[in-house]
Amino acid sequence: PGTGSRRRPGRLRSRSRALLDLVLLLTISTPEVILGSAMLDTFLKVRAPLGPVTLMLAHVMFDIAFVVIMVKSRLRGFDITLEHAAMDLGARGWRVFATITLPLILPSVVTAAILAFMLSLDDFIVSLFVCGQTVTFPLFVWGEARGDVNTPLTSPTGNVHGMPVHFALEQHAVDPARMAFIGLHGVD
């Protein structure tokens, strides 16, 4: 009886890990149209006003799977005896985390944060479903490509991500006189 009771928590842990892995992989492999429409349906059912908050929640829900998988992969190779040694030397709680765990997993945390930022910057379909009147960079580019300059999608006041990029591109745009000088246009 004792041996069976000791094995059960291990099985539950492995089952819960397997369930977590399944949910994370389903989140990643679900097409964005289905994910975006499901999030829109959820936000409408709870009567949440579409805007920056729903956009942020949708991006967190979309990106969390990538972040968890990356950090989990680093934690799998983590040597727990380092934490135990720090505790044996008198460190507790946050001090162990700050001095031992965080420095060892920091590269994966930073990489996951950069990946999440890039995925959010690139995520057009989910943003389109849940943005409301908020304009993100992909929506700004989409509106500009369509040529709808006067639509709310390309309004500079509503653009959160696109304006710094837009201003940077305007500063470095090549004017026709400069292009003629270097021989690209207007040369007879």
Side-chain angles (χ1 to χ4, degrees):
T3 307
S5 65
R6 278 191 225 145
R7 287 186 187 167
R8 191 168 231 28
R11 280 192 209 160
L12 290 176
R13 270 193 231 134
S14 66
R15 286 181 185 165
S16 62
R17 284 183 188 162
L19 181 63
L20 176 65
D21 289 341
L22 178 68
V23 169
L24 293 174
L25 292 176
L26 282 175
T27 304
I28 291 173
S29 63
T30 302
E32 289 185 12
V33 172
I34 294 172
L35 197 60
S37 61
M39 288 182 197
L40 175 64
D41 184 50
T42 302
F43 292 142
L44 291 177
K45 282 183 181 175
V46 297
R47 294 193 170 120
L50 298 179
V53 174
T54 57
L55 187 63
M56 185 180 69
L57 286 172
H59 281 262
V60 166
M61 291 169 63
F62 176 73
D63 291 338
I64 195 80
F66 293 97
V67 172
V68 168
I69 287 173
M70 289 188 74
V71 174
K72 239 177 92 172
S73 68
R74 177 61 184 116
L75 287 173
R76 280 196 180 129
F78 183 74
D79 187 10
I80 195 76
T81 58
L82 296 172
E83 286 183 344
H84 291 291
M87 285 186 237
D88 287 344
L89 293 172
R92 295 285 176 245
W94 283 103
R95 185 157 175 96
V96 172
F97 178 76
T99 58
I100 304 297
T101 309
L102 186 60
L104 292 174
I105 67 169
L106 192 61
S108 65
V109 171
V110 170
T111 305
I114 292 170
L115 177 67
F117 174 74
M118 295 307 296
L119 287 170
S120 288
L121 195 61
D122 181 55
D123 194 14
F124 170 76
I125 296 173
V126 173
S127 298
L128 185 63
F129 276 101
V130 299
C131 70
Q133 293 296 317
T134 306
V135 179
T136 62
F137 181 67
L139 295 174
F140 175 77
V141 171
W142 178 63
E144 289 292 325
R146 288 182 41 213
D148 298 336
V149 178
N150 294 323
T151 63
L153 286 178
T154 57
S155 169
T157 58
N159 192 343
V160 176
H161 299 342
M163 288 312 292
V165 174
H166 178 72
F167 286 130
L169 292 176
E170 270 187 2
Q171 295 297 322
H172 296 290
V174 180
D175 62 304
R178 190 171 179 195
M179 291 177 77
F181 176 74
I182 59 174
L184 294 176
H185 290 287
V187 178
D188 292 328

